[in-house]
């Protein structure tokens, strides 16, 4: 439509009519004369509006999300703090249960060997002592700890006490290269000397070069005179490799320690030795080999009355 005087008058007239209809509709309320027209328009344009609203809703939601982002951020931060606290609590409970299991196993070993022990916690590793494998425990002379006492845990031999202070003590670990302990082979009683090899298996020199040793055999401490530095019967480890004898007077075997030296936590210092050598009593029972599952074989024997294929049996 061209911009003429007549078109301008028509636009003004339409606007005036629109305002008049709005005024009448507002004053009439529910009895408005244009209510029918409104319903008809809703019927025609409703589906179109719904489709447009559906398309626009994600945008509206995004705007709402931006508007509420501050509140949501606070809620997320609160949930994250609660989650972190829950994880810390669960981790603490798991650690507590783990330490209770360690203590329980250590008490079982001490009871089996009739060792009087003083419990302690590893509080430091021994970097200050040079390149040796040592740890520091939170028990000292005030607790009855003395030099050259045996140290064990729920798995077996940890080491021996080397230096003692009033409240702490240093323990040389059994895998230290300068560590040597007398050993006795389970059941046969063959003797030897185990030497630490750092993070490798212990090297054990069997005194009998013809001793019968097999992988899987286990060793315990032989014990020292006066029970210092070692009491008898403490589990050491399991044989993993046997060197050929070659006619030598001694024989070398390699033993994997029962103790994991990189995960030490709760230990016990033997302050009272056993009255008698416990021999193999402190070793845990070996797990039984799984029994083979029986195989059932079914043999089908043809019957004398069985019929020939395709014919009845009575023919």
């Amino acid at each position: 439509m061209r911009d003429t005087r007549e078109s301008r008058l028509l636009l003004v007239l339409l606007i005036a009519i629109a305002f008049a209809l709005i005024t009448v509709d507002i004053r009439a309320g529910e009895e408005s004369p244009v209510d029918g027209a409104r319903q008809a328009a809703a019927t025609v344009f409703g589906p179109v509006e719904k489709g447009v609203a559906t398309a626009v809703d994600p945008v509206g939601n995004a705007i709402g999300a931006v508007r509420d982002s501050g509140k949501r951020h606070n809620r997320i931060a609160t949930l994250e703090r609660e989650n972190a606290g829950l994880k810390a609590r669960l981790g603490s409970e798991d650690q507590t249960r783990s330490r209770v299991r360690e203590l329980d196993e250590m008490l079982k070993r001490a009871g089996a060997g009739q060792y009087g022990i003083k419990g302690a916690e590893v509080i430091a590793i021994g970097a200050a002592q040079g390149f040796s494998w040592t740890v520091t425990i939170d028990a000292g002379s005030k607790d009855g700890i003395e030099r050259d006492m045996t140290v064990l845990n729920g798995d077996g031999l940890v080491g021996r006490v080397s230096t003692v202070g009033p409240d702490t003590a240093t323990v040389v670990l059994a895998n230290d290269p300068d560590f040597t302990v007398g050993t006795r082979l389970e059941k046969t009683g063959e003797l030897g000397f185990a030497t630490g090899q750092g993070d490798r298996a212990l090297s054990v020199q069997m005194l009998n070069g013809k001793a019968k040793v097999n992988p899987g055999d286990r060793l315990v401490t032989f014990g020292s005179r006066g029970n210092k530095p070692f009491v008898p019967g403490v589990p050491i480890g399991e044989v993993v490799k046997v060197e050929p004898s070659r006619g030598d007077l001694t024989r070398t075997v390699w033993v994997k320690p029962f103790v994991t030296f990189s995960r030490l936590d709760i230990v016990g210092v033997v302050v009272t030795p056993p009255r008698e050598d416990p021999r193999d009593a402190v070793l845990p029972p070996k797990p039984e080999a799984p029994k083979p599952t029986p195989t059932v074989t079914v043999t089908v024997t043809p019957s004398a009355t069985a019929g020939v294929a395709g014919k009845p049996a009575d023919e």
Side-chain angles (χ1 to χ4, degrees):
M1 181 180 293
R2 290 181 297 176
D3 186 12
T4 60
R5 183 177 180 182
E6 290 81 4
S7 63
R8 291 179 181 177
L9 289 175
L10 178 59
L11 178 60
V12 171
L13 179 62
L14 290 174
I15 293 174
I17 294 172
F19 275 107
L21 291 174
I22 291 172
T23 302
V24 172
D25 184 40
I26 292 174
R27 290 181 178 180
E30 295 181 356
E31 298 180 357
S32 171
V34 297
D35 187 59
R38 185 188 298 111
Q39 293 180 1
T43 302
V44 175
F45 297 107
V48 178
E49 291 176 347
K50 184 177 180 179
V52 173
T54 301
V56 175
D57 273 346
V59 179
N61 291 337
I63 295 173
V66 172
R67 186 184 303 115
D68 297 336
S69 60
K71 296 180 180 179
R72 291 188 179 183
H73 177 74
N74 293 335
R75 289 197 298 269
I76 291 172
T78 302
L79 290 174
E80 287 178 346
R81 286 194 299 271
E82 292 176 354
N83 191 30
L86 180 60
K87 286 182 178 179
R89 189 160 60 251
L90 289 175
S92 177
E93 291 176 357
D94 290 342
Q95 183 180 11
T96 300
R97 285 193 292 268
S98 176
R99 301 187 78 186
V100 168
R101 285 195 298 269
E102 288 184 32
L103 181 59
D104 184 58
E105 288 297 319
M106 184 175 69
L107 292 177
K108 287 180 181 178
R109 297 287 173 268
Q114 297 299 303
Y115 309 129
I117 63 171
K118 174 66 180 180
E121 181 181 356
V122 174
I123 57 175
I125 58 175
Q129 284 79 23
F131 296 100
S132 59
W133 291 72
T134 62
V135 295
T136 302
I137 59 175
D138 63 349
S141 58
K142 292 181 180 179
D143 305 291
I145 307 301
E146 298 177 1
R147 189 174 183 272
D148 285 337
M149 283 184 168
T150 305
V151 183
L152 52 78
N153 67 1
D155 296 320
L157 180 66
V158 172
R160 62 175 176 84
V161 177
S162 60
T163 57
V164 182
D167 302 299
T168 62
T170 301
V171 177
V172 178
L173 302 181
N175 64 337
D176 185 272
D178 292 330
F179 186 96
T180 301
V181 58
T183 66
R184 184 177 54 77
L185 194 64
E186 180 185 13
K187 295 181 180 178
T188 66
E190 293 285 354
L191 303 181
F193 290 94
T195 303
Q197 302 291 325
D199 55 1
R200 297 182 297 164
L202 304 177
S203 172
V204 179
Q205 295 290 325
M206 305 299 298
L207 298 183
N208 181 4
K210 297 181 180 180
K212 186 178 180 181
V213 187
N214 299 304
D217 290 345
R218 302 181 296 178
L219 294 92
V220 299
T221 56
F222 177 65
S224 307
R225 178 175 296 182
N227 295 302
K228 284 189 176 184
F230 304 109
V231 295
V234 181
I236 295 176
E238 181 178 295
V239 176
V240 292
K241 184 180 178 181
V242 180
E243 296 286 352
S245 61
R246 298 174 182 173
D248 296 334
L249 295 178
T250 61
R251 190 175 191 182
T252 302
V253 299
W254 299 90
V255 175
K256 180 181 179 182
F258 290 129
V259 172
T260 303
F261 298 104
S262 61
R263 293 205 307 264
L264 291 173
D265 187 9
I266 304 296
V267 299
V269 182
V270 181
V271 294
T272 305
R275 293 182 179 180
E276 297 180 356
D277 187 345
R279 306 291 293 179
D280 301 333
V282 188
L283 284 167
K286 281 190 174 182
E288 296 182 1
K291 297 181 180 180
T293 304
T295 303
V296 179
T297 304
V298 178
T299 304
V300 179
T301 305
S303 173
T305 59
V308 181
K311 294 184 180 183
D314 58 352
E315 287 187 3

